[in-house]
Amino acid sequence: MLLPASPAAIRRAAAALRRGEPVAFPTETVYGLGASALDPEAVRKVFAAKGRPDDNPLIVHVTGLPMLRGLVRSLPPAARALAERFWPGPLTLVLPKTRAVPGVVTAGLPTVAVRVPDHPVALALIEAAAVPVAAPSANRSGRPSPTRAAHVAADFPGLLVLDGGAARHGLESTVVSLGDPPRVLRLGAISVEELRAVLPGLVVATKTRARAESPGMRHRHYAPARPLVLFRRSRAAALREALAADPKALLLCADADAPLFPGRRPVRLGATPAEIAHGLFDALRTERRGSVLLVYALPRRGLLRAVMDRLERAATRVV
Ligand code: AMP
Ligand code: MG
């Protein structure tokens, strides 16, 4: 059930959370499927509804540092510096958890992932429920993340969804673990360059390391309904051949790259990195008549590095 996110609807959703019922709500990254992080039964309902593997931990959403006390054992200086600069915002910090956080939330890990969302509806909901809210993206496991309330309703008919319009970033949060050195476990809406301005020693975990430390990174993600073939930027000629061989194939590329593929009308991903990030999941969800999605890779810089990470994980094949 889609409800415009009025104060009355937010109160109703908060009451549902307190009763142990999952609800979906907008954040600035993507829509979340939330449950009280202190209620293991409610959290299990989120895993069950999504079909999410139980080794894939959830992010706990709070309204600010005061709500974090009691959930994490310590806030190292590096974490505090990042929180001061980027919260509320699309940055998730992985910190040692206290016993108050049930094991089901963290998939048995001794750490918990936390963030303060930068969205008035998300903040009002957590405030009204007066509990930290564990919330993965509100999609069936493996599907592209939902950037609009209608995407959530398509995956979960009958679920209470607070409709707050299209998500501003359209890409999930960046996940950082505060070990030595601090490490990006998942690329996301805050770029590595922005984070390094605060923490120059920050490294990006290799795929193998990210998979070991952040179990969710092992699973297949973001898969559209059609096969998706990702062509590297050095393979424009191969992509032109593939297009010529299959008139039903759909081309997806950045606006600036469209002239490389004359005679074919592409699904344009956007002109700026923010626009491309914003439209990506919508483009992957849109049902089209094409046989296969052929995607021309993006330059791996800033925000587009995270977009490429999502495309690689959505791809059935990389050429
Ligand atoms: P999602 O909620 O679908 O955006 O996924 C959240 C992701 O955050 C998970 O798939 C993990 O990769 C990461 N994550 C959550 N909790 C932890 C944790 N305690 N340690 C490491 N990574 C985590
Ligand atoms: Mg997700």
Side-chain angles (χ1 to χ4, degrees):
M1 181 198 342
L2 286 185
L3 290 182
S6 65
I10 292 171
R11 279 196 299 276
R12 182 166 160 189
L17 284 179
R18 295 193 62 85
R19 280 198 308 274
E21 303 292 333
V23 300
F25 60 97
T27 80
E28 81 281 29
T29 58
V30 301
Y31 274 71
L33 177 59
S36 164
L38 306 178
D39 179 344
E41 273 317 306
V43 172
R44 274 188 205 103
K45 288 182 193 166
V46 168
F47 278 91
K50 281 188 59 116
R52 183 174 175 107
D54 59 10
D55 66 350
N56 190 357
L58 306 184
I59 295 171
V60 175
H61 296 69
V62 295
T63 50
L65 289 180
M67 207 183 232
L68 211 57
R69 283 191 208 110
L71 302 179
V72 302
R73 277 197 279 117
S74 63
L75 198 64
R80 190 171 287 274
L82 289 175
E84 263 165 26
R85 170 69 181 81
F86 294 107
W87 281 358
L91 175 67
T92 295
L93 300 178
V94 173
L95 296 165
K97 80 172 193 75
T98 65
R99 283 209 307 238
V101 183
V104 59
V105 171
T106 67
L109 293 171
T111 51
V112 60
V114 289
R115 84 175 188 101
V116 180
D118 185 15
H119 195 290
V121 174
L123 291 170
L125 175 66
I126 304 166
E127 181 81 39
V131 284
V133 173
S137 48
N139 51 280
R140 296 269 314 155
S141 199
R143 298 262 299 138
S145 299
T147 58
R148 299 167 187 280
H151 297 160
V152 183
D155 277 12
F156 303 104
L159 177 72
L160 197 169
V161 186
L162 292 176
D163 187 349
R168 183 151 45 86
H169 293 291
L171 195 66
E172 297 87 344
S173 60
T174 307
V175 178
V176 171
S177 90
L178 277 303
D180 189 19
R183 229 182 273 282
V184 174
L185 297 179
R186 178 178 74 180
L187 297 162
I190 294 181
S191 70
V192 175
E193 292 87 337
E194 286 173 277
L195 291 168
R196 283 203 181 123
V198 177
L199 276 193
L202 183 82
V203 300
V204 178
T206 59
K207 287 210 168 98
T208 324
R209 177 116 196 188
R211 283 186 190 129
E213 284 185 32
S214 193
M217 302 293 287
R218 277 201 298 268
H219 300 285
R220 178 153 158 77
H221 264 93
Y222 316 117
R226 309 251 169 286
L228 185 158
V229 186
L230 178 60
F231 288 76
R232 290 177 228 278
R233 290 185 70 76
S234 57
R235 305 301 303 276
L239 176 46
R240 278 191 291 272
E241 277 169 33
L243 288 167
D246 182 354
K248 289 214 179 86
L250 276 169
L251 168 65
L252 274 74
C253 66
D255 295 8
D257 293 326
L260 289 171
F261 310 101
R264 199 66 165 238
R265 202 146 63 91
V267 177
R268 287 168 178 259
L269 290 172
T272 63
E275 214 174 280
I276 293 170
H278 186 259
L280 175 73
F281 289 131
D282 207 18
L284 294 186
R285 267 185 182 259
T286 307
E287 292 298 332
R288 297 191 182 84
R289 252 165 289 148
S291 52
V292 55
L293 305 178
L294 305 182
V295 185
Y296 187 53
L298 303 158
R300 242 176 253 269
R301 273 194 307 274
L303 198 53
L304 294 184
R305 190 166 168 185
V307 174
M308 277 300 290
D309 165 77
R310 302 305 188 267
L311 282 170
E312 280 170 345
R313 291 202 272 150
T316 9
R317 201 151 62 83
V318 180
V319 173

